[in-house]
Amino acid sequence: MKFNSITMKLFMLVAGTFFVAMSCVIMLADYQLRKTIDDKEREVYVEKLQTIHGALARTHQRLVKTMMVEAYEADFKNQIIEALRKDYYLQEKQPIYPLIVSTEGFVVLHPTLPVGDKSIQTLPIYHDMVRMRSGNLNYTFNDEQKWIIFNTFEPWNWIVAYAVPLKVKYAHAVHFRNILIGIFLSITLISMIVLSFFIARFTKPIVELTRASADIAAGNLDQHIVVSQKDEIGVLAKSFISMRNAVKEKIEELAGKNENLQLEIEERKKAEEALNTLKENLENEVVKKTAEVHDELAERRRAEAALRQNEGLLKATIESTVEGIIVVQQTGRILQANQRFFEMWHAPSEVQARALFLESCAVFDVLASQVKDPALFTEKIRCVHLTQEASFDVVPLKDERVFERYSCPLIQSGNVTGRVWSFRDISERVRSEEQRLNLERELSQSRKLESIGTLAAGIAHEINTPIQFVNDNVKFLEDSFIAFENVIKKQKELFISRISDLKRHAWPNYKDANHNRLCLNRLQVVPFLCKIMQNK
Amino acid sequence: MKRKMFTRHVSSVLCVISFIVLIIGAAVAADDTRKKVLYVDSYHAGYPWSYDITRALLTIFKATIEDNNTIDDTHSPVCLNIVRMDTKLHTDEEFKQQAAVKVKEIIELWHPDVVIASDDNASKYVIAPYYKDSAIPFVFCGVNWDVSAYGFPCKNVTGMIEVSLADQLVTAMRQVALGDRVGFLGADNISNHKEVENYQTKLGIAFEKVVFVNDYETWKATFLQLQDDVDMLIMAPPSFIKNEGKQDAQAFIEQHSRIITGCVEAWILPYALICYAKSPFEQGRWAAQTALKILEGTSPADISIVTNSDAVVMLNMPLAKKMKVAFPMELMKDATLYEGNAA
C-alpha cells in the first residue's frame, strides 16, 4: 500500500482524529479533575486549618482567662503544640502534615524539624507565607513538589499550614488519567483495526477507478472497469465509464475537426496578412490626412485671428470716425452702427440697445422723424436701396442742423449684400461758409470804397491846382452835390437790395451769381463814375 | 396549711395527668419491641443537678426532649420515660411518700425493663420500700456517701454513690500549697459535720484544724486565724452569707487569702482558689450505661456499686492572680477558669 494512497490517508485521518479527540478528552478531564481536586482540597484543608485555629483560639482564650498571660503563655503553647503533635503526627513519615512556623522565623510545629529551628528562614516559601499571611502556594522542598495552604493565627503570629505533596494531592487525578489513557488507547487500537478493514473495502472501487484512469491517461481507452456497488462510488464508476466513452467519441470527432480547423487557420492567416497590409496603408493615409487637417486647422485659426483682428480694427475705425455710420443688410437687418450715428440722430437708448435686433426701417423712421422733409428723406432712402450706385445727399434737420449723407453699396463676392450709410454733420461748415461769404461781401465793399477814395484823392490832387478854381465853385458844388448824395444813397440801397435778391434767388448757382454780381457791380460803377466825372 | 393542701392537689393533678399521658404513650407504643427505661427523678425538671443527669441520660440513650416537654426517642435503642417526684420543693414526708406511690403506680402500669432512680429520695421512698429484691432492675445514682441505709446492695439494685471529691481536692491543693496542713471551715450544721466525718473516715483526710462557725464575722475572724494555722483550707458552704454580703466576702477573701483554699461545691468558688465539684453528668452517664448493660442481659447483682470520680475542676483566676499562684498545667489543662464577677 502506498503511503500517499487514499486508503492510507483515510486511515491516518481517522487515527489522527481519534488521537486528537482522545487527547483533548484526556487533557480536559485531567484539567477539570485537577481543578475540582484543587477546589475540594482547598475546602478540606481550609476546614482542617480552621480546626487547628479553633484549638489555638480556645487555648488563647484560656490563656487570657488566666489573667496571667506571661506566666502561662509558654506552658499553654507547649500544651497545645503537644496536643497537636499527638493528634496529627500519628506516623513517623506521613506525607501530609500540618506545620506551624512563627513569623519571627522559627519552627513551632514540624514533623522533622525541631521546635525553634531557624533554617526555614532560608526558604523562599517561608517569606512568601509571611508576606501573604494566608493563601496557598506550590513549592519545592527537599526536591519534592508540594502544595501548601496556610493562614496566620494573629494573636501569636503563628503561620499554620498544611503541606501536601503534589503527587499525593493529584494521585487520584493521575490514576484516573492513566486509566483513561489505557481505555482510550485500547479503544483506538480496536477501532483502527476494524476501521482499516472497512476503509480498505470502502476505497477498493476508488483504487480500481484510479488504476483505470491511469490506463486511460496512458491512451488505453478500452480498459475494462467492473464496479458492482450501488452507492456514490458505483455512480462515479458508471459516470467514469460514460465519460471514457464520451471522451473516446470526442477524440475521434476532434481529430476530424482538427483538420478542418487547420485549413481554416491557414486561410485566416492569409486573410490576416492582407488585412495587415490594408491596415498599414490606412494608417499611413490617416497620418497624412491628419497632418493636412492639422495644417488646415492652423491656417483657419490664423485666418480667424486675422479676421477677428480686422473686425476689431474695423470696429475701432468705425467708432473713431466723426461720421455716423450704419450698415444695413439687403434684408433690412442692421449689421453694424457706431455710437456716433446714434448720438447724431439722438436715438433713444432702447433703440441703441436693440439696434442690431431691429429692422433698418425702424431706425430710418427715427431718422425721418427728425428731418425737415421726412417724406422726401424716406423716398430717397428707398430709391437708394433700389440701386447699386453710391449716393450723396444733404439733409437739413428740424433743429437747423445739416447732415451730409453718403451711401454706398456693400458688395461681397460681387453681390450687393447691403448698404453703408454715412452721415456727417456739416452744420458748422455751412454756417462758416455763410459767414465767409458775408465777410467777402463786406471786404469787396470796403475795397470799392477805398478805390473810390484813392480815386477821389488822385482826382483831388490833380485838381488841387485848379482848387482855387474850384474853391470858388465849392459853394456851388456843395449845394449841387446834396442831390447827388441822395442819388448815391439810393443807388447804394438799390445795390444792396439787388445783391440780396441775387443771393436769395440764385443760391444754387452761387459761384456764378457771385461772379455776375461782381460783373454787375463793375458795369454799374463805370457809368456812375462817368456821371461823377461829368458832374465834375 | 391551705397552701400546702393546694400544692398537694396540684401535684396530684399533675401526677394523674402524667399517668394518663404515660398510659396513652404506652398504648401508642404497644407494638414497640424496644426495652423500656423509666427515669425517676427525685427533684424537679429545672434543678441543675437533675438537669445534668437528664442530659447525660438523653445523650447515652440518643433521645431528646422537645419544646413541649415530650421525649423524642425515635432514634433511641430504648423507650424512655421520665417521672419527677419534685421532692426538692416539697420536703414534707407525706408528699414524698405520695410521690413514691405514684411512681410505683406508673411502674406497675408501664412495666419498665429497667428503672433509673436519681438521688436519695427515689431510693429511699421508691426502691427501698417497694422494689428491693424485686424483678425490676433498678440503677440508682446521686445517693450520698452510704447506701446501706436503704438496704443496698441487693440483687436487683446497683448504682453509683455520690461522694465529695475532697481527696482529689487536697491532692490538687498540695501541688501549690506551701505546707501539708489541712483545715476545714464551714457553717455549723449537720451536713457539714457529716461531710467532715466522711472526709475523715471515708476519704482519709487528716485535718489539722476543723472549725464550724455560726455567723459571718466569726467566719471572717476564723478565716484570718486559719491563714496561719493551716496551709490548705477546705471551705464548706457558708450558708450565712447572703446575697448582699457576697461581694464583701469576696473582697475579704481576695484581700486576706495567703493559703490555698478549696471547695467541693461550685457556688463556693468565689471564696476559694480551687474547686473540685462532683459531676452529675458522670452520675447520669454511668446510670444510663449500666441500664443498657442490664437490658443486654447483665444482672444488677453482677454490677458493683461504685462511687463517682470525675471532678469538675474550677480555678479562681482573679484570686490566683491576687495571690500570685501559678497552677501547674496538669491542673490547668481541663479546669474551668473562673474569671470573677467581671466575667
Side-chain angles (χ1 to χ4, degrees):
Chain A
M1 190 183 293
K2 289 178 183 175
F3 185 74
N4 58 354
S5 66
I6 192 165
T7 307
M8 185 55 79
K9 282 178 181 174
L10 271 174
F11 185 79
M12 294 297 283
L13 179 68
V14 172
T17 307
F18 258 92
F19 179 75
V20 170
M22 290 185 178
S23 298
C24 289
V25 169
I26 289 166
M27 282 193 289
L28 192 65
D30 190 53
Y31 171 76
Q32 282 295 337
L33 193 58
R34 280 171 186 264
K35 199 178 168 188
T36 307
I37 286 171
D38 282 343
D39 294 341
K40 291 290 176 191
E41 291 285 284
R42 197 177 300 119
E43 284 176 20
V44 167
Y45 283 99
V46 163
E47 198 176 330
K48 286 187 173 185
L49 288 176
Q50 291 292 344
T51 305
I52 295 173
H53 262 257
L56 293 176
R58 282 191 296 276
T59 305
H60 179 69
Q61 282 175 357
R62 283 177 61 79
L63 177 62
V64 172
K65 277 185 178 179
T66 62
M67 299 180 180
M68 291 184 286
V69 173
E70 288 180 5
Y72 290 111
E73 186 173 10
D75 289 338
F76 271 66
K77 285 181 177 176
N78 287 335
Q79 181 198 350
I80 188 65
I81 290 301
E82 284 309 311
L84 290 172
R85 191 179 290 279
K86 198 182 287 180
D87 289 343
Y88 288 99
Y89 295 165
L90 303 172
Q91 299 168 6
E92 193 175 340
K93 281 188 176 180
Q94 56 188 53
I96 301 168
Y97 54 85
L99 60 98
I100 300 174
V101 293
S102 167
T103 56
E104 290 153 12
F106 57 84
V107 171
V108 176
L109 176 70
H110 195 275
T112 54
L113 297 174
V115 176
D117 186 89
K118 294 189 175 180
S119 63
I120 56 164
Q121 292 180 16
T122 59
L123 300 174
I125 185 67
Y126 166 73
H127 297 287
D128 290 340
M129 288 196 297
V130 170
R131 179 174 49 79
M132 291 169 65
R133 308 297 280 185
S134 70
N136 63 93
L137 296 166
N138 288 335
Y139 72 105
T140 305
F141 182 68
N142 288 340
D143 297 329
E144 187 179 24
Q145 283 195 319
K146 291 187 174 185
W147 172 71
I148 190 164
I149 183 166
F150 58 95
N151 56 22
T152 305
F153 182 66
E154 298 293 345
W156 293 348
N157 282 327
W158 282 4
I159 298 170
V160 184
Y162 252 97
V164 183
L166 289 183
K167 64 182 179 184
V168 175
K169 184 183 177 187
Y170 297 122
H172 290 295
V174 172
H175 183 62
F176 176 75
R177 186 190 61 196
N178 292 340
I179 290 172
L180 205 61
I181 289 170
I183 291 169
F184 280 176
L185 283 176
S186 305
I187 291 170
T188 307
L189 193 66
I190 294 164
S191 302
M192 287 301 103
I193 292 166
V194 174
L195 281 172
S196 61
F197 171 74
F198 281 107
I199 288 168
R201 188 180 169 81
F202 174 73
T203 56
K204 191 179 175 185
I206 299 171
V207 173
E208 289 287 328
L209 282 175
T210 308
R211 197 165 51 239
S213 64
D215 288 344
I216 289 166
N220 184 9
L221 292 173
D222 298 325
Q223 177 70 29
H224 184 62
I225 300 167
V226 180
V227 176
S228 57
Q229 283 173 299
K230 292 180 180 178
D231 56 7
E232 285 84 351
I233 294 171
V235 174
L236 178 68
K238 283 177 184 171
S239 302
F240 187 78
I241 292 165
S242 302
M243 188 181 76
R244 184 197 62 184
N245 296 336
V247 166
K248 200 173 172 182
E249 287 173 8
K250 286 286 176 187
I251 286 171
E252 289 170 359
E253 190 181 335
L254 282 171
K257 284 184 178 177
N258 195 27
E259 288 176 10
N260 294 335
L261 280 173
Q262 286 293 339
L263 292 172
E264 277 184 24
I265 287 166
E266 283 175 9
E267 284 176 7
R268 283 194 182 184
K269 277 181 180 174
K270 285 175 186 172
E272 270 183 15
E273 283 172 6
L275 279 172
N276 284 336
T277 309
L278 189 61
K279 185 185 163 192
E280 282 175 10
N281 292 339
L282 276 172
E283 282 175 354
N284 292 335
E285 193 66 25
V286 165
V287 169
K288 193 178 170 184
K289 288 289 177 188
T290 306
E292 285 175 5
V293 167
H294 276 299
D295 292 345
E296 194 175 328
L297 280 172
E299 187 64 31
R300 188 172 289 180
R301 282 194 202 99
R302 277 194 296 275
E304 282 176 356
L307 186 62
R308 277 196 296 276
Q309 192 177 0
N310 286 339
E311 272 181 8
L313 191 61
L314 180 62
K315 197 169 181 181
T317 306
I318 290 170
E319 288 296 334
S320 62
T321 185
V322 295
E323 294 178 347
I325 298 168
I326 184 166
V327 183
V328 180
Q329 261 187 335
Q330 201 68 355
T331 56
R333 184 169 166 261
I334 295 168
L335 284 176
Q336 190 63 270
N338 67 354
Q339 190 60 29
R340 177 65 184 156
F341 172 80
F342 296 113
E343 287 171 3
M344 284 170 67
W345 288 99
H346 302 304
S349 57
E350 64 269 18
V351 172
Q352 289 185 35
R354 299 176 62 244
L356 297 179
F357 304 99
L358 292 173
E359 290 295 321
S360 59
C361 56
V363 176
F364 283 114
D365 287 346
V366 173
L367 271 54
S369 67
Q370 296 182 43
V371 300
K372 282 184 176 175
D373 191 350
L376 179 64
F377 177 78
T378 307
E379 182 59 24
K380 281 182 178 177
I381 292 293
R382 191 181 62 79
C383 291
V384 168
H385 265 295
L386 295 175
T387 65
Q388 293 186 358
E389 303 296 324
S391 167
F392 180 83
D393 195 9
V394 175
V395 183
L397 273 66
K398 289 177 181 174
D399 57 359
E400 297 303 329
R401 287 185 298 161
V402 177
F403 287 174
E404 190 180 68
R405 191 257 305 154
Y406 177 75
S407 173
C408 64
L410 185 65
I411 297 168
Q412 289 181 338
S413 305
N415 296 321
V416 176
T417 58
R419 265 189 177 277
V420 179
W421 298 85
S422 172
F423 296 92
R424 182 189 292 259
D425 187 353
I426 58 170
S427 305
E428 284 297 323
R429 198 177 74 190
V430 169
R431 270 193 294 276
S432 299
E433 193 67 27
E434 283 179 359
Q435 284 176 358
R436 187 181 61 81
L437 286 173
N438 287 335
L439 284 171
E440 277 182 358
R441 220 171 17 250
E442 286 173 4
L443 183 62
S444 174
Q445 188 64 26
S446 300
R447 280 179 181 168
K448 283 176 189 171
L449 290 172
E450 189 182 2
S451 301
I452 292 167
T454 306
L455 184 59
I459 295 168
H461 180 73
E462 288 295 325
I463 63 179
N464 203 19
T465 309
I467 199 82
Q468 286 299 325
F469 174 74
V470 174
N471 278 337
D472 294 338
N473 298 309
V474 168
K475 191 70 178 169
F476 172 70
L477 282 173
E478 280 179 356
D479 295 337
S480 302
F481 268 93
I482 290 170
F484 183 65
E485 279 177 1
N486 291 334
V487 171
I488 290 171
K489 281 181 184 176
K490 282 181 183 178
Q491 285 296 321
K492 189 178 180 181
E493 286 171 2
L494 184 66
F495 177 76
I496 292 166
S497 172
R498 287 190 68 184
I499 289 298
S500 296
D501 288 343
L502 274 172
K503 254 177 96 175
R504 198 163 46 242
H505 290 103
W507 179 255
N509 300 314
Y510 169 72
K511 287 180 179 175
D512 296 340
N514 199 27
H515 177 74
N516 293 337
R517 187 189 64 175
L518 291 174
C519 293
L520 180 66
N521 286 343
R522 214 172 285 132
L523 288 172
Q524 288 172 336
V525 168
V526 172
F528 174 68
L529 290 174
C530 292
K531 195 174 180 181
I532 292 169
M533 290 300 290
Q534 287 170 351
N535 290 335
K536 193 178 174 176
Chain B
M1 193 65 186
K2 278 183 180 175
R3 191 177 172 186
K4 256 188 177 178
M5 287 298 289
F6 174 73
T7 312
R8 279 183 186 179
H9 279 295
V10 170
S11 300
S12 302
V13 169
L14 284 172
C15 284
V16 170
I17 291 168
S18 301
F19 179 73
I20 292 166
V21 168
L22 200 65
I23 295 299
I24 293 166
V28 170
D31 295 334
D32 198 341
T33 55
R34 292 179 299 174
K35 300 285 187 181
K36 291 180 277 189
V37 176
L38 179 69
Y39 168 47
V40 180
D41 181 11
S42 297
Y43 306 129
H44 52 278
Y47 188 60
W49 179 268
S50 297
Y51 174 80
D52 280 351
I53 291 175
T54 308
R55 191 163 57 86
L57 291 175
L58 293 170
T59 304
I60 300 299
F61 291 140
K62 297 174 185 171
T64 54
I65 293 180
E66 301 296 315
D67 292 338
N68 57 1
N69 282 328
T70 57
I71 297 166
D72 178 11
D73 58 4
T74 48
H75 302 292
S76 173
V78 300
C79 185
L80 180 66
N81 257 316
I82 299 172
V83 177
R84 302 191 192 275
M85 293 172 70
D86 196 17
T87 57
K88 196 69 173 179
L89 299 172
H90 307 94
T91 53
D92 56 301
E93 193 65 21
E94 191 183 346
F95 181 86
K96 290 174 183 172
Q97 287 179 357
Q98 282 186 358
V101 170
K102 282 159 194 166
V103 170
K104 181 174 175 286
E105 288 172 353
I106 291 168
I107 290 170
E108 287 171 2
L109 270 171
W110 197 50
H111 298 295
D113 296 298
V114 65
V115 178
I116 296 170
S118 73
D119 291 289
D120 286 65
N121 288 341
S123 295
K124 185 179 177 182
Y125 293 100
V126 178
I127 303 171
Y130 303 117
Y131 294 105
K132 202 160 62 175
D133 294 323
S134 74
I136 300 172
F138 276 82
V139 180
F140 68 84
C141 63
V143 177
N144 285 303
W145 292 107
D146 188 10
V147 292
S148 59
Y150 309 132
F152 305 156
C154 58
K155 66 172 186 182
N156 69 320
V157 178
T158 186
M160 177 177 266
I161 299 168
E162 178 194 339
V163 297
S164 294
L165 301 171
D167 52 344
Q168 291 186 34
L169 173 66
V170 171
T171 306
M173 288 163 72
R174 281 200 178 103
Q175 294 182 48
V176 287
L178 296 174
D180 203 35
R181 297 171 297 169
V182 183
F184 183 90
L185 174 61
D188 191 3
N189 55 37
I190 297 169
S191 297
N192 283 342
H193 281 276
K194 277 188 177 177
E195 280 288 303
V196 171
E197 187 185 342
N198 285 323
Y199 290 171
Q200 290 172 326
T201 58
K202 291 189 166 62
L203 301 179
I205 299 170
F207 287 105
E208 181 74 21
K209 208 165 191 178
V210 176
V211 182
F212 298 103
V213 294
N214 290 313
D215 58 80
Y216 179 48
E217 291 305 320
T218 312
W219 178 80
K220 287 204 287 187
T222 308
F223 181 82
L224 289 175
Q225 181 61 46
L226 288 171
Q227 299 299 307
D228 297 323
D229 294 345
V230 295
D231 302 305
M232 296 168 279
L233 179 63
I234 296 174
M235 310 272 280
S239 53
F240 38 74
I241 299 174
K242 305 299 179 192
N243 284 338
E244 58 273 16
K246 281 182 179 174
Q247 280 192 348
D248 181 62
Q250 282 181 40
F252 173 79
I253 293 288
E254 283 185 12
Q255 189 178 354
H256 298 289
S257 287
R258 284 185 282 114
I259 58 171
I260 305 302
T261 51
C263 63
V264 292
E265 299 282 348
W267 66 273
I268 311 172
L269 184 62
Y271 315 110
L273 191 63
I274 304 169
C275 175
Y276 264 67
K278 293 167 283 191
S279 168
F281 195 88
E282 183 194 11
Q283 301 276 339
R285 183 181 65 210
W286 189 90
Q289 286 169 344
T290 304
L292 286 175
K293 274 186 191 174
I294 291 167
L295 290 175
E296 284 168 3
T298 307
S299 169
D302 296 333
I303 301 170
S304 303
I305 293 171
V306 297
T307 57
N308 60 295
S309 60
D310 288 358
V312 179
V313 181
M314 290 178 279
L315 302 173
N316 188 334
M317 297 314 296
L319 185 59
K321 187 180 179 185
K322 191 86 179 175
M323 294 171 67
K324 296 181 180 173
V325 172
F327 298 109
M329 280 311 290
E330 53 265 32
L331 192 60
M332 295 282 287
K333 194 168 63 178
D334 300 316
T336 302
L337 303 181
Y338 172 73
E339 295 173 274
N341 292 333

